Amino acid sequence: MFISFNVNKFCSIIPGNIFIRSPFFCSSMRILFIHSDFIDYRVREKAIEGAEEYSASEERIEECLVAFISVESKDDRQVAEKAVNEIKDVANKVDTRRIVLYPYAHLSSDLSDPDTAKSILSMIENGLRSEYEVHRAPFGWYKSFTISCKGHPLSELSKQIGGGEEEPEALKKETTLKTYWKILYDGNLYDIDVFDFTGHEKLRDFVNYEISGTRAVVDVPPHVKYMRSLEIADYEQGSDSGNLRYYPRGKLIKSLAESLVTNYVLDYGAMEVETPIMYDYEHPALKSYLQRFPARQYTVLSGDDKYFLRFSACFGQFLIAKDALITYKQLPLRLYELTRYSFRREKHGELVGLRRLRAFTMPDMHTFVQDMETAKDEFLKQFKLSISVLKDFGLDLNDYEVAVRFTSDFYKENMKFIQELGELVKKPILVQVWEEKFFYFVLKFEFNFVDNTKKAAALSTVQIDVDNARRFNITYIDERGEKRYPLILHCSPSGAIERVMYAMLEKAEFLKKEGKKPVLPFWISPVQVRIIPLSEKHMEKSNEILRMIESAGIRVDIDDREITMQKKIREAEMEWIPYIVVIGDREVSTGTLNVRDRYRDKTREIPLSEFIEELRNCVRDKPIKKINESIFLSKRVKFV
RNA sequence: GCCACCGUAGCUCAGUAGGUAGAGCGGCUGACUUGUAAUCAGCAGGUCGGGGGUCCGAUUCCCUCCGGUGGCUCCA
């Protein structure tokens, strides 16, 4: 599942950092700017044979912009021109007319040959000479220098200038890409600024998040404290940031969530496959694709070979589909994998709890279809599938915001279809229209969860991909025996599993804010029933009841510790356990249970057999797994 | 990636105007044998995130690295 709608610059400006991105893609000139009170350099001795002739021995230039430059192996005239523009840009910002070009090999490990470097430096010098006073330190000499950096915010910058041919067409378009934002409601499209968001506050938060980028200043999102206090997951300092550890309860929740999504997708008609987690940088199909995404992946060096860790299951499934013999009779063909893990080296400042990780678990289904009509039909079905999946996680349409994005061409031909999506959810949705196709897809939706800090995170999503069959050479045989490219739907019916866990925890916090007790859906609660014996003499009866509940496939445990009953109840409540059953003399004699019910927030009397039947109904059609720790609380380890 | 703040016992946090630290919870031991969110007492537990510097002396001041968080930027 490739997900993108915002755009990023191919080469970014990161002050104070010279090595900006992975060197594996294309070469690019590197420049370090220092706005200086002065620079003073002395030429010592020749460093290389091709050193430039130079007569003076010392030079001092006052009040100038010094550009330390490394020319890299593939730099050319085009790069020189860009460099001229960059230097002009910086010179104007710091308001100086005096520029020192200083050849400086140490910014790069992939240098060009000396002749190329000299000619490119000359090109830059000539490009600047008409407007600036340009000084040039000689190339190919060892030099000593003293520099005085002004130290204001713009006085130190590093830039990387990419080669023209390496920059993909699609990325150039980014800057000129036009999009429109609308709200679709009751079959009408409204402008954002005239739409009345009353009663749709979360949608407004989502819209703000998407369009204006405004963010409320708030604390850590509440799911982070729950993720630790409920012993679900935790940061792992021994790994890279964004790679979490899961404790037994978290692992259980995660497994159950994975099973649920997988069951849905298999019922929907997909075939589960498994594909490698790392791929060759030099593979032709992947290479052309990867060029669009600057250094966002983990790199693995194995001997002399370079691999990247997958960021979705797309490659693996596309490479399978490419080699498969597919005929029109077998379409739609659906392949599915639950990627454990997908990897994205998200920026450090972006990582938070379970909301955004560098290693995450992504259910990813690809549906290959013949034509747009079938694609739309599948899109609609998968839209509904996604709603069902999220519902089982306790997330209904009020808990997330719907965004639909498409190209204007697609809209012209499919207005009714888009309106149908709006009618399905019966609430306003955010619409983004691209003037022309920029990504590989023409239509996508996402369900976005807005959390307690008013930040949005995408959950379910489906896209109609019109490009990648061609790129990966995936074909099917049509009715006339000819090879044709299918359309491909990318679908993650839940979004990343960790993100679903995040949404459930954030939703629990919303419940708490409403004065209700935070809780997880019954089927996914790591402990569903806790038995609390009133004293030691009730242990035997407690064990008996435990076995009966357990045999119905319910996760039940027993608090056999020698502490007060009040304390046991308090702790069970803090663990969000749905049902708490105290066993004392009354229960032993009557056989009726007194159940403390967290969903209804009350205690009630119920015969054991009825209680078991009720629980059994709650987990019908849901994945069932055994408890993942000792059933005896006295044997439990505290992980946090 | 940039900027800011934070990192003290297993957890949550207090404190030290520079002289190596304290509470609550948790743990252990003992008493209590309990009817729906914390029974009482005693004990143990810390190279004050890592490294470097200044100083007679650093957990405290400075630098740096790591980790966390917020903002910016960005998000296949």
Side-chain angles (χ1 to χ4, degrees):
Chain A
M1 172 63 46
F2 312 138
I3 302 167
S4 167
F5 36 91
N6 290 330
V7 286
N8 60 298
K9 294 274 181 294
F10 197 52
C11 296
S12 49
I13 302 162
I14 302 167
N17 193 336
I18 294 161
F19 299 100
I20 294 168
R21 63 186 182 80
S22 155
F24 300 141
F25 298 111
C26 65
S27 174
S28 55
M29 176 181 288
R30 290 159 198 267
I31 307 180
L32 174 66
F33 291 101
I34 307 283
H35 187 206
S36 323
D37 299 312
F38 68 85
I39 181 168
D40 197 342
Y41 61 83
R42 286 159 191 261
V43 175
R44 298 296 187 181
E45 56 182 292
K46 279 191 182 179
I48 55 168
E49 285 219 349
E52 286 177 303
E53 289 309 309
Y54 192 71
S55 50
S57 70
E58 184 180 352
E59 199 140 6
R60 182 185 172 96
I61 300 116
E62 307 279 346
E63 185 54 48
C64 56
L65 177 68
V66 182
F68 293 96
I69 300 176
S70 284
V71 181
E72 296 207 319
S73 61
K74 288 174 189 149
D75 290 349
D76 55 12
R77 173 174 292 278
Q78 218 172 345
V79 172
E81 284 167 12
K82 285 189 189 174
V84 167
N85 290 331
E86 285 290 351
I87 294 170
K88 283 182 181 173
D89 184 45
V90 176
N92 290 341
K93 278 184 185 148
V94 301
D95 195 23
T96 182
R97 315 304 302 164
R98 197 173 292 142
I99 292 168
V100 179
L101 299 177
Y102 196 112
Y104 198 69
H106 317 291
L107 300 175
S108 169
S109 54
D110 182 26
L111 291 169
S112 73
D113 63 84
D115 288 337
T116 310
K118 278 187 283 185
S119 79
I120 285 184
L121 285 166
S122 296
M123 288 179 206
I124 296 174
E125 186 180 358
N126 292 333
L128 292 166
R129 198 168 286 293
S130 56
E131 295 172 54
Y132 297 88
E133 176 187 334
V134 185
H135 297 258
R136 171 115 173 267
F139 183 92
W141 296 78
Y142 289 113
K143 300 178 281 285
S144 64
F145 70 87
T146 308
I147 189 165
S148 168
C149 174
K150 285 180 177 290
H152 59 76
L154 287 176
S155 65
E156 297 168 87
L157 288 174
S158 78
K159 296 215 176 189
Q160 182 168 333
I161 293 150
E165 300 114 350
E166 297 283 353
E167 185 167 2
E169 279 304 306
L171 283 174
K172 287 188 197 161
K173 276 193 204 160
E174 284 181 4
T175 45
T176 54
L177 182 71
K178 279 193 187 154
T179 79
Y180 303 102
W181 300 91
K182 300 277 182 185
I183 297 292
L184 174 64
Y185 192 36
D186 282 342
N188 300 312
L189 282 179
Y190 298 90
D191 284 337
I192 300 286
D193 45 6
V194 302
F195 185 77
D196 179 8
F197 284 98
T198 311
H200 307 292
E201 282 71 23
K202 278 194 183 173
L203 178 65
R204 188 187 54 213
D205 291 339
F206 172 55
V207 168
N208 286 340
Y209 185 84
E210 276 288 310
I211 302 172
S212 61
T214 341
R215 269 127 218 191
V217 181
V218 280
D219 289 331
V220 187
H223 82 274
V224 176
K225 80 171 180 255
Y226 292 138
M227 135 188 146
R228 303 193 67 238
S229 67
L230 296 175
E231 296 197 345
I232 291 171
D234 209 342
Y235 298 114
E236 175 51 73
Q237 303 213 349
S239 182
D240 188 20
S241 311
N243 289 253
L244 298 187
R245 55 160 78 151
Y246 293 86
Y247 298 116
R249 257 168 257 167
K251 173 60 189 171
L252 177 62
I253 291 174
K254 190 161 176 282
S255 297
L256 285 162
E258 291 169 2
S259 299
L260 181 101
V261 178
T262 299
N263 290 347
Y264 262 105
V265 173
L266 296 185
D267 285 346
Y268 185 72
M271 292 177 274
E272 189 173 14
V273 295
E274 184 168 321
T275 62
I277 63 165
M278 65 179 85
Y279 293 88
D280 187 351
Y281 264 106
E282 299 305 321
H283 188 286
L286 305 183
K287 205 175 175 184
S288 75
Y289 190 84
L290 268 175
Q291 291 213 344
R292 289 196 35 184
F293 306 114
R296 274 260 161 177
Q297 48 278 333
Y298 276 104
T299 304
V300 175
L301 291 176
S302 173
D304 292 333
D305 301 322
K306 295 157 192 158
Y307 300 91
F308 64 92
L309 297 183
R310 66 175 173 199
F311 45 82
S312 71
C314 301
F315 315 112
Q317 293 181 19
F318 290 172
L319 294 174
I320 287 176
K322 167 178 82 71
D323 294 333
L325 177 65
I326 306 166
T327 80
Y328 72 97
K329 292 178 183 171
Q330 294 144 358
L331 299 182
L333 170 69
R334 304 182 189 92
L335 296 179
Y336 166 76
E337 181 171 7
L338 184 87
T339 65
R340 191 161 60 220
Y341 293 104
S342 287
F343 296 92
R344 294 178 198 176
R345 255 191 68 83
E346 301 291 7
K347 291 184 180 177
H348 212 269
E350 272 302 306
L351 304 167
V352 205
L354 289 162
R355 184 170 63 201
R356 171 152 294 178
L357 295 166
R358 284 182 172 175
F360 56 95
T361 308
M362 188 80 160
D364 205 350
M365 172 172 72
H366 293 91
T367 308
F368 302 87
V369 300
Q370 307 191 54
D371 51 38
M372 190 51 86
E373 280 313 303
T374 328
K376 279 157 53 190
D377 184 48
E378 282 287 318
F379 188 91
L380 197 61
K381 284 186 194 156
Q382 294 178 11
F383 188 90
K384 292 175 183 168
L385 172 73
S386 300
I387 292 174
S388 304
V389 170
L390 291 188
K391 182 131 185 69
D392 279 359
F393 288 109
L395 304 168
D396 60 38
L397 275 160
N398 296 322
D399 293 315
Y400 49 84
E401 300 310 318
V402 181
V404 177
R405 307 168 201 258
F406 39 78
T407 59
S408 57
D409 284 349
F410 182 87
Y411 186 59
K412 277 172 207 153
E413 291 160 26
N414 299 285
M415 265 187 204
K416 277 186 84 170
F417 180 71
I418 298 294
Q419 286 179 351
E420 199 177 331
L421 293 177
E423 283 160 24
L424 213 59
V425 300
K426 298 185 182 65
K427 67 175 202 168
I429 64 182
L430 176 65
V431 165
Q432 181 178 21
V433 187
W434 290 293
E435 183 109 293
E436 51 188 309
K437 184 170 78 69
F438 162 63
F439 301 102
Y440 54 83
F441 49 80
V442 291
L443 169 67
K444 77 174 285 198
F445 79 81
E446 322 107 44
F447 295 154
N448 294 275
F449 185 83
V450 179
D451 69 19
N452 288 273
T453 68
K454 294 190 191 300
K455 291 210 175 189
L459 296 171
S460 320
T461 175
V462 177
Q463 309 162 355
I464 299 180
D465 175 350
V466 297
D467 274 0
N468 278 308
R470 190 177 297 270
R471 171 177 280 125
F472 283 81
N473 198 29
I474 298 164
T475 57
Y476 70 95
I477 314 287
D478 73 5
E479 294 87 331
R480 286 179 296 189
E482 288 168 15
K483 281 190 175 180
R484 295 191 53 193
Y485 295 115
L487 297 173
I488 306 171
L489 288 95
H490 302 237
C491 168
S492 186
S494 62
I497 298 295
E498 294 82 356
R499 209 168 252 188
V500 172
M501 294 165 69
Y502 142 83
M504 286 192 293
L505 295 175
E506 289 285 331
K507 161 123 193 211
E509 178 68 10
F510 281 125
L511 287 176
K512 195 178 164 190
K513 283 180 176 169
E514 291 168 24
K516 295 176 186 158
K517 287 184 173 175
V519 67
L520 297 175
F522 182 74
W523 68 273
I524 203 167
S525 293
V527 174
Q528 295 165 314
V529 178
R530 164 132 330 145
I531 295 174
I532 298 180
L534 206 49
S535 74
E536 263 173 66
K537 64 179 179 186
H538 304 111
M539 272 300 289
E540 198 187 325
K541 184 71 179 175
S542 297
N543 276 318
E544 194 184 304
I545 294 170
L546 178 135
R547 279 191 297 274
M548 292 174 75
I549 299 176
E550 195 179 49
S551 63
I554 302 300
R555 288 180 295 275
V556 52
D557 62 10
I558 185 161
D559 194 341
D560 60 335
R561 295 174 301 169
E562 293 184 19
I563 54 175
T564 60
M565 179 219 45
Q566 278 88 346
K567 188 147 190 173
K568 291 178 183 177
I569 288 173
R570 176 178 148 83
E571 292 191 11
E573 292 279 4
M574 293 196 304
E575 287 178 42
W576 301 2
I577 293 172
Y579 300 105
I580 301 166
V581 181
V582 176
I583 306 297
D585 288 340
R586 288 208 300 262
E587 286 71 23
V588 173
S589 58
T590 64
T592 296
L593 302 184
N594 192 303
V595 176
R596 195 177 162 108
D597 183 331
R598 192 174 183 84
Y599 296 111
R600 297 178 180 79
D601 196 12
K602 65 174 188 186
T603 60
R604 57 197 167 98
E605 302 277 338
I606 183 169
L608 175 61
S609 56
E610 243 176 72
F611 182 54
I612 290 177
E613 197 45 39
E614 182 187 320
L615 300 183
R616 210 196 291 272
N617 283 334
C618 289
V619 292
R620 203 182 294 283
D621 313 328
K622 299 288 192 303
I624 291 177
K625 283 187 191 292
K626 286 190 188 300
I627 199 162
N628 191 29
E629 52 199 322
S630 171
I631 54 165
F632 298 109
L633 277 269
S634 63
K635 300 282 186 206
R636 292 257 172 97
V637 173
K638 272 184 73 75
F639 289 101
V640 179

